[in-house]
Amino acid sequence: MPRRVLPLTDVQIRNAKPRDKPYSLTDGHGLYIEITPTGSKLWRMKFPQRGRGYNRLSFGAYPVVSLLEAREKRFLTQRLMAQGIDPAQHRDDQKRQTLEKASNTFELVAREWHGNKVPTWSARTADNTLRRLELDIFPAIGRRPIHEIRHRELIDALRKIESRGSHEVAHRLKAVCAQIFSYGIQIGLLERNIAADMKDVLKTVRQSHFASIDTDDLPGFLDSIRRNESRMLKPTLICLRLMMLVFVRTSELIETPWSEIDLEKGEWIIPWQRMKRGRITVNPDMTNHHVCLSWQALLLLRELHAITSGGVYLFPNLRDHTRPISNNTILKSIERMGYKGKMTGHGFRALAMTTIKERLGYRHEVIDRQLAHAPPDKLSAAYDRAQYLAERKAMMQAWADYIDSL
């Protein structure tokens, strides 16, 4: 008959004195406490391994780990064994997972997520997203293991952005962080998306359109351009006037290479890859955009050609001619004219849409196509290309003449 082992008591453990050699007191079912010559009292558990004799687990030191806690650990170990799980292997797996989680910082996971998204984004979106994370989020929580980040930490980082008046940036970065935490859940690093819970922590941003003057303000705006001519570089002045005459998107104008312009034929065709709807990942619009040029716009381009045709772009950056000017160049020029908050580069598109419809009487569909907006369906898209080009050319000349008449 096997010898019966009496369970230990706290009194026995407390009174156990060190000896010259380590010895142990047994609690039963493999659990025992080892008393070392230095007086340390360490919990151990001995358990059988299939075909490999016995192995041991360490449960920590007494009294930090109490008798009751040691027995709880023994119970959990026995439950693993009953499920056919090797307790030692389970312990090693847990350690590995803990180390992996600790090494998976928010910045590391964010960069991995960003790398996966890059093929589906435009280069500008990819660069802007990473730059914003590097400026505003990584310094705050980038080094923290992603599974340890708490609501308060993320809220503080977002409110710091908000406090400098960048409300829209704060909301966009909250949405980006929600996607990063979601990715962390999908790869098994955490179980909860804390950013998705944050519905009311930031101030509500009222959606607004790009600032634009009204049709009745156009004569005053033109007069302001004339009065400020001497304060602008010639390419900047031409850029402003072209923005008004052709009303393409700001990026589509300032990033235009001379290779797209045919001054002899009086044509400017923007390849679909540079257009907004050409850069979308799913079903991009692969239609090149004809920028119908009035004789006034063509005259400006010929004047500009004499100045900047030695480089790649119509509007090269003054510091680095291999790059175009920035959108900020246009905004600052408009601000110096006294129209800060009243007009933007994108505002020329809204101005043209309203004025051409109301004052020149052209149909919405024709203007919409010149703005390169998406047609409602494939049939409409085909009709646009087949029928509207002649009307658009006439409309763009009428628009330039109308501006001259003011």
Side-chain angles (χ1 to χ4, degrees):
M1 177 178 289
R3 184 170 62 88
R4 184 185 176 192
V5 177
L6 295 175
L8 291 173
T9 65
D10 270 314
V11 174
Q12 283 179 278
I13 300 170
R14 285 198 304 270
N15 292 339
K17 305 298 182 186
R19 300 175 185 173
D20 294 338
K21 294 182 179 181
Y23 71 98
S24 59
L25 302 174
T26 302
D27 189 60
H29 301 287
L31 179 65
Y32 63 94
I33 191 164
E34 181 180 293
I35 293 88
T36 68
T38 62
S40 297
K41 299 173 181 180
L42 308 174
W43 289 110
R44 313 281 194 201
M45 181 175 175
K46 182 178 179 182
F47 65 94
Q49 285 188 307
R50 293 178 182 175
R52 291 185 291 174
Y54 285 86
N55 201 347
R56 286 174 173 78
L57 294 176
S58 296
F59 290 162
Y62 179 90
V64 176
V65 177
S66 68
L67 175 58
L68 187 62
E69 290 170 328
R71 286 171 176 166
E72 179 65 22
K73 290 176 181 289
R74 175 180 63 191
F75 170 74
L76 294 175
T77 301
Q78 290 173 325
R79 189 163 67 179
L80 288 173
M81 294 170 63
Q83 297 170 358
I85 299 172
D86 184 334
Q89 184 63 49
H90 179 75
R91 173 201 59 199
D92 295 342
D93 289 343
Q94 292 289 97
K95 286 182 179 179
R96 178 179 52 78
Q97 289 175 15
T98 300
L99 288 173
E100 282 182 0
K101 284 186 174 182
S103 64
N104 281 298
T105 63
F106 181 87
E107 180 173 349
L108 183 71
V109 177
R111 289 185 181 276
E112 185 177 309
W113 165 82
H114 181 269
N116 289 346
K117 300 289 285 186
V118 164
T120 68
W121 286 340
S122 67
R124 176 176 296 175
T125 299
D127 290 345
N128 287 345
T129 302
L130 186 58
R131 182 170 58 85
R132 281 296 175 195
L133 286 168
E134 290 173 340
L135 287 173
D136 293 317
I137 300 298
F138 291 165
I141 60 173
R143 295 182 180 180
R144 297 271 287 126
I146 191 169
H147 73 285
E148 292 183 1
I149 296 172
R150 298 293 176 258
H151 286 75
R152 189 72 253 173
E153 296 172 88
L154 182 56
I155 291 171
D156 288 345
L158 294 172
R159 284 185 174 168
K160 185 177 180 180
I161 303 167
E162 190 179 54
S163 68
R164 65 173 189 254
S166 301
H167 300 282
E168 186 64 34
V169 172
H171 280 271
R172 288 181 182 178
L173 279 176
K174 181 171 78 70
V176 167
C177 289
Q179 293 184 55
I180 294 168
F181 281 111
S182 175
Y183 177 72
I185 293 171
Q186 293 171 55
I187 60 175
L189 296 178
L190 63 157
E191 296 180 356
R192 185 179 178 187
N193 188 336
I194 62 171
D197 297 338
M198 298 179 185
K199 300 188 184 298
D200 302 307
V201 297
L202 297 176
K203 295 175 182 176
T204 302
V205 177
R206 180 175 294 177
Q207 297 297 321
S208 61
H209 297 290
F210 292 98
S212 174
I213 59 173
D214 296 327
T215 300
D216 292 338
D217 298 323
L218 184 52
F221 186 78
L222 292 170
D223 183 58
S224 182
I225 292 178
R226 283 193 294 271
R227 287 186 284 104
N228 284 274
E229 282 185 8
S230 60
R231 301 173 62 191
M232 296 186 204
L233 295 173
K234 195 66 174 180
T236 305
L237 178 62
I238 292 174
C239 186
L240 266 178
R241 287 177 168 168
L242 280 174
M243 287 282 289
M244 183 172 298
L245 288 171
V246 299
F247 49 86
V248 294
R249 295 177 179 90
T250 307
S251 63
E252 292 163 1
L253 177 61
I254 64 179
E255 295 173 8
T256 299
W258 277 110
S259 58
E260 290 180 7
I261 309 290
D262 189 329
L263 292 175
E264 293 300 319
K265 294 182 179 179
E267 288 184 351
W268 175 11
I269 300 176
I270 304 179
W272 63 267
Q273 294 91 336
R274 276 215 311 122
M275 300 300 293
K276 181 179 179 180
R277 291 191 294 123
R279 295 196 301 266
I280 61 176
T281 306
V282 181
N283 297 324
D285 184 346
M286 293 184 284
T287 306
N288 295 336
H289 182 60
H290 288 254
V291 183
C292 301
L293 297 172
S294 60
W295 67 261
Q296 291 93 330
L298 194 56
L299 193 65
L300 285 172
L301 285 170
R302 286 176 177 150
E303 187 178 355
L304 182 66
H305 189 263
I307 304 171
T308 67
S309 61
V312 175
Y313 296 102
L314 272 66
F315 304 101
N317 190 293
L318 287 177
R319 295 180 180 177
D320 182 0
H321 286 194
T322 64
R323 296 170 52 230
I325 61 173
S326 70
N327 180 44
N328 203 43
T329 303
I330 307 300
L331 285 175
K332 288 298 180 183
S333 298
I334 293 172
E335 286 181 13
R336 282 193 290 269
M337 289 165 51
Y339 283 85
K340 182 177 181 180
K342 301 175 184 177
M343 188 59 170
T344 60
H346 201 87
F348 288 109
R349 291 166 64 80
L351 174 67
M353 166 67 87
T354 302
T355 309
I356 293 173
K357 283 173 66 176
E358 294 181 354
R359 301 294 169 91
L360 304 183
Y362 279 86
R363 292 178 297 136
H364 180 89
E365 300 93 315
V366 180
I367 310 169
D368 221 33
R369 185 59 190 146
Q370 190 58 43
L371 288 165
H373 287 162
D377 51 54
K378 291 183 179 180
L379 182 62
S380 297
Y383 185 77
D384 283 349
R385 290 194 293 272
Q387 301 295 327
Y388 289 170
L389 193 55
E391 291 181 76
R392 285 159 51 198
K393 287 180 179 178
M395 178 188 73
M396 296 299 277
Q397 186 58 59
W399 169 240
D401 292 341
Y402 174 77
I403 291 173
D404 277 354
S405 74
L406 298 177

